Amino acid sequence: MEALRKEAVYTIDDIYALPDGERAELIDGKIYYMAPPSRTHQRISGKLFQAIANYIDSKGGKCEIYCAPFAVFLNNDDLNYIEPDISVICDLSKIDDKGCHGAPDWIIEIVSPGNKPMDYFTKLFKYQTAGVREYWIVDPTKELIMVYRFEKETMEEYSFGEDVPAGIYGDFSLKVQRMS
């Protein structure tokens, strides 16, 4: 009888030990390597970041917004380390110079062709169970935005060009424009 092969369990120390320039995320002790983002990815991320930051500033809001690479220690353990494309954190006691310790209030991930299962399944489940209030999956290929409001247990789908309301704010919505 063949013995079952035990899969290695990695920690945040393994992420910090990666060679310079190599980026990866850690979910439940498993390393997921990240490819550099495309130009379209970066343009969408920049526009969303700018719109959300402007809204927070205009309201004198207490929430802070960060874009990748920004460390999120999702479960406050050494087996989970992610770098969401955009993180909005309203409980500032979670933030220090290393990153966010615990779940951000709002996370936006922009799908790249090589990471679809990660954003649509692995991170969706992880963010929901960790206490993230709202999760957006922005898919440039499909020109769709999937909005998960975990507190309300709802999921809505929007097309690029439509107003997408931000659930954590009652008076804010934004549009994701086509980048072609």
Side-chain angles (χ1 to χ4, degrees), residues 108-129:
I108 299 174
E109 294 284 8
I110 299 154
V111 177
S112 298
N115 72 352
K116 281 182 192 257
M118 186 76 165
D119 292 333
Y120 278 104
F121 301 107
T122 308
K123 287 184 176 180
L124 171 66
F125 175 76
K126 195 67 192 170
Y127 292 160
Q128 182 177 20
T129 57

Side-chain angles (χ1 to χ4, degrees), residues 50-130:
Q50 180 180 24
I52 296 165
N54 288 345
Y55 170 81
I56 292 170
D57 289 348
S58 75
K59 297 292 182 178
K62 67 176 182 78
C63 301
E64 293 188 5
I65 182 171
Y66 296 92
C67 60
F70 177 74
V72 174
F73 306 95
L74 201 54
N75 291 86
N76 245 331
D77 61 21
D78 68 345
L79 300 177
N80 290 279
Y81 168 98
I82 56 167
E83 294 180 359
D85 292 315
I86 296 175
S87 302
V88 177
I89 300 121
C90 299
D91 178 355
L92 302 185
S93 71
K94 292 181 179 180
I95 304 171
D96 66 16
D97 280 344
K98 289 188 177 204
C100 177
H101 301 270
D105 293 87
W106 181 13
I107 289 178
I108 299 174
E109 294 284 8
I110 299 154
V111 177
S112 298
N115 72 352
K116 281 182 192 257
M118 186 76 165
D119 292 333
Y120 278 104
F121 301 107
T122 308
K123 287 184 176 180
L124 171 66
F125 175 76
K126 195 67 192 170
Y127 292 160
Q128 182 177 20
T129 57

Side-chain angles (χ1 to χ4, degrees), residues 127-143:
Y127 292 160
Q128 182 177 20
T129 57
V132 172
R133 293 169 55 200
E134 186 164 346
Y135 174 42
W136 289 19
I137 301 172
V138 178
D139 192 327
T141 304
K142 295 180 180 178
E143 295 189 347

Side-chain angles (χ1 to χ4, degrees), residues 155-169:
M155 188 281 288
E156 296 169 332
E157 185 176 292
Y158 297 87
S159 296
F160 279 26
E162 286 186 283
D163 273 325
V164 184
I168 70 165
Y169 299 115

